[in-house]
Amino acid sequence: MIKRKYILVKINGTPLNLQLDTTPDVTIISGDNCKKIKADNVSESEHTARSATDELPLSAKFKCNVEYRNQQQSLTCFVTPIQNLNVMGLDWIQELNLCNMPINSICNNIRQNQDNVFDGKMGLCTKTKAVITTKPNVQPVFRPKRPVAYAVQQLVEDELKRLQELKVISPVNFSAWAAPIVVVKKTNRNVSICADFSTGLNNCLESHQYPLPLPEDIFSKLANSKIFSHIDLSDAFLQIEVDDASKHLLTINTHIGLFQYNRMVFGIKTFPVIFQQIMDQMLAGLNCTALYIDDTFVFGKTASEHTDNLYAVLTRLRDYGFKLKYEKCNFFETEIKYLRYIINQEGLKSDPERIAAIKQMAEPSKIRITNNLLKLNLKWKWDAIHQKCFHHFKAIMSSNL
């Protein structure tokens, strides 16, 4: 599916998303948006514009002040009675000197408008902290450090130093609690340090009762939407600080000593639901958002509606102190992948990557699958009926049901 590109401009001071389209000679907005931007010099127009397939009726035109990045110009805009049609045509593309610019640099001005959210630094939530508590009468669990291969010791020490500089961890001289670490080599030849809290702490923690959303609930919210944005928090858990009274529980034992986590970290059984609860509180009251732990989606039926929702979410994230990875976010998409499905204005369908193994499954060569072949002392025989059932089963499992 072709993904349309949108450009955010201000018309008479009102932000509006226009689909970038070189087919029409003129820029066109819908009548609803004409009212929204409060155009005060509207006159009738008997012109028509061409789309890729047919003519577009134009009912009016007006002069307006257009702002894009550092430019301000007085340009002519046409109005169409066609609902939700908002297109930047060749006239504005030329006037704003966009003809020779890469399309992604034109359409990625979300970053310029919310630069402090995308500044590359690690965020820190300023509104709340995570709290974990142990069950009554539990005994602290202190696990010894695990050996680290000599070849990666320096990489581990460099990573521990980096985490200290980011104030994610702090060295401590003593702790009643300690978990060993697991060192994972990354594709870029660096290492990732993972704390193994399954060695004792997790079994000692009180549960944190808070419901995670069901996929069905999220999909119902996305119904009838046409434009989607996926927001990726940068090191999501590490952006939320742990309460001072809880930090001693998050001690890790390394070959160069003890460190305690100051931020939330993967591996603690209660942190996913705590994170979900904090994010739900942060986005409470905002329209057209779906959230599952650190995956946030914004959606809308029109580009204008979507823009309003997206900026509301980004503003709320900024106010809470969160940061995003711009390179991992996707804005103004007509199709997204989420929870193993592909979602667009037509609804849900299975992600081909997820069902490839089912489609490529070979026919069985020993007793399994169909009931009549499971009977004892029955000679294996795979015939046309079994073959038909097998392919029918694969079709059902890989369908969009």
Side-chain angles (χ1 to χ4, degrees):
M1 178 177 289
I2 297 174
K3 296 183 178 180
R4 297 179 177 88
K5 295 291 185 178
Y6 294 87
I7 178 170
L8 183 67
V9 297
K10 285 186 177 180
I11 304 178
N12 290 347
T14 301
L16 193 64
N17 252 322
L18 304 179
Q19 182 183 325
L20 203 64
D21 192 343
T22 58
T23 302
D25 293 330
V26 297
T27 296
I28 306 165
I29 65 172
S30 66
D32 289 342
N33 278 324
C34 181
K35 296 176 182 177
K36 182 178 179 180
I37 64 176
K38 300 177 181 178
D40 57 4
N41 56 352
V42 180
S43 61
E44 291 186 2
S45 173
E46 297 179 353
H47 291 82
T48 58
R50 291 289 305 176
S51 70
T53 55
D54 52 23
E55 290 189 345
L56 304 174
L58 304 176
S59 58
K61 64 179 181 178
F62 62 94
K63 295 285 285 188
C64 56
N65 179 56
V66 179
E67 298 176 56
Y68 176 71
R69 295 187 178 175
N70 297 321
Q71 300 184 64
Q72 288 195 32
Q73 294 203 44
S74 179
L75 302 175
T76 299
C77 185
F78 287 81
V79 182
T80 179
I82 300 176
Q83 193 174 15
N84 300 328
L85 179 62
N86 303 282
V87 176
M88 178 181 286
L90 279 174
D91 56 345
W92 284 23
I93 291 173
Q94 292 174 346
E95 292 292 339
L96 295 173
N97 300 313
L98 305 180
C99 295
N100 297 320
M101 293 177 63
I103 190 168
N104 283 339
S105 69
I106 296 172
C107 299
N108 287 348
N109 62 334
I110 290 289
R111 187 170 191 168
Q112 280 73 33
N113 284 275
Q114 294 282 348
D115 192 52
N116 52 348
V117 179
F118 299 105
D119 61 11
K121 299 177 182 178
M122 179 172 287
L124 175 61
C125 179
T126 58
K127 303 293 185 181
T128 188
K129 296 181 180 181
V131 177
I132 54 176
T133 56
T134 57
K135 299 173 183 176
N137 303 318
V138 297
Q139 294 298 316
V141 179
F142 187 100
R143 298 299 184 191
K145 62 180 181 292
R146 289 174 179 163
V148 176
Y150 180 78
V152 298
Q153 281 187 6
Q154 188 59 52
L155 293 175
V156 173
E157 292 169 18
D158 291 343
E159 178 63 6
L160 290 170
K161 181 180 179 181
R162 186 185 75 88
L163 293 174
Q164 287 182 76
E165 292 172 348
L166 293 172
K167 299 182 179 180
V168 171
I169 61 174
S170 299
V172 293
N173 295 322
F174 169 81
S175 177
W177 295 84
I181 62 170
V182 177
V183 178
V184 180
K185 293 202 71 173
K186 302 196 297 190
T187 55
N188 60 4
R189 297 185 179 180
N190 291 327
V191 297
S192 177
I193 295 176
C194 305
D196 187 2
F197 293 111
S198 67
T199 56
L201 177 61
N202 275 338
N203 290 334
C204 298
L205 290 179
E206 291 277 20
S207 298
H208 186 94
Q209 302 296 334
Y210 186 80
L212 291 175
L214 297 174
E216 293 80 4
D217 296 334
I218 294 174
F219 293 147
S220 67
K221 285 186 176 182
L222 295 171
N224 302 317
S225 295
K226 298 180 179 179
I227 304 174
F228 310 87
S229 290
H230 173 223
I231 295 173
D232 192 305
L233 289 171
S234 174
D235 298 315
F237 278 21
L238 296 181
Q239 296 197 46
I240 297 179
E241 192 174 4
V242 177
D243 181 76
D244 288 343
S246 304
K247 290 179 181 178
H248 71 284
L249 299 171
L250 304 179
T251 302
I252 54 174
N253 199 348
T254 78
H255 72 283
I256 59 172
L258 300 174
F259 297 86
Q260 70 178 19
Y261 274 91
N262 303 313
R263 309 281 186 95
M264 284 176 54
V265 60
F266 283 105
I268 295 296
K269 69 177 185 180
T270 57
F271 277 169
V273 291
I274 291 175
F275 189 89
Q276 178 79 39
Q277 186 174 18
I278 291 172
M279 296 297 288
D280 283 347
Q281 292 169 350
M282 181 190 68
L283 298 179
L286 297 185
N287 295 324
C288 296
T289 60
L291 174 68
Y292 189 83
I293 307 180
D294 58 342
D295 275 322
T296 302
F297 285 89
V298 186
F299 44 92
K301 296 179 182 178
T302 67
S304 177
E305 176 189 63
H306 184 71
T307 300
D308 292 342
N309 296 332
L310 179 58
Y311 273 92
V313 171
L314 293 176
T315 299
R316 195 72 66 85
L317 286 165
R318 180 200 65 199
D319 293 344
Y320 266 67
F322 287 107
K323 304 288 185 180
L324 308 177
K325 283 185 178 177
Y326 185 79
E327 296 76 14
K328 291 191 174 182
C329 296
N330 295 294
F331 297 110
F332 300 104
E333 302 285 358
T334 55
E335 183 177 274
I336 57 170
K337 290 184 179 181
Y338 189 43
L339 295 177
R340 302 186 179 185
Y341 283 89
I342 291 177
I343 305 169
N344 54 36
Q345 66 181 18
E346 298 172 356
L348 297 175
K349 61 180 180 180
S350 300
D351 184 348
E353 295 179 2
R354 298 290 186 176
I355 60 174
I358 296 175
K359 289 188 172 183
Q360 297 166 8
M361 184 188 299
E363 292 85 355
S365 57
K366 57 185 179 180
I367 295 178
R368 65 178 186 184
I369 304 295
T370 52
N371 289 339
N372 65 321
L373 296 178
L374 296 177
K375 296 177 181 178
L376 293 176
N377 303 318
L378 181 69
K379 185 178 179 180
W380 173 265
K381 183 182 180 182
W382 185 265
D383 56 27
I385 295 177
H386 302 126
Q387 185 74 13
K388 181 178 179 180
C389 291
F390 178 72
H391 285 295
H392 184 57
F393 165 76
K394 288 170 62 176
I396 292 173
M397 293 296 293
S398 59
S399 73
N400 293 329
L401 292 176

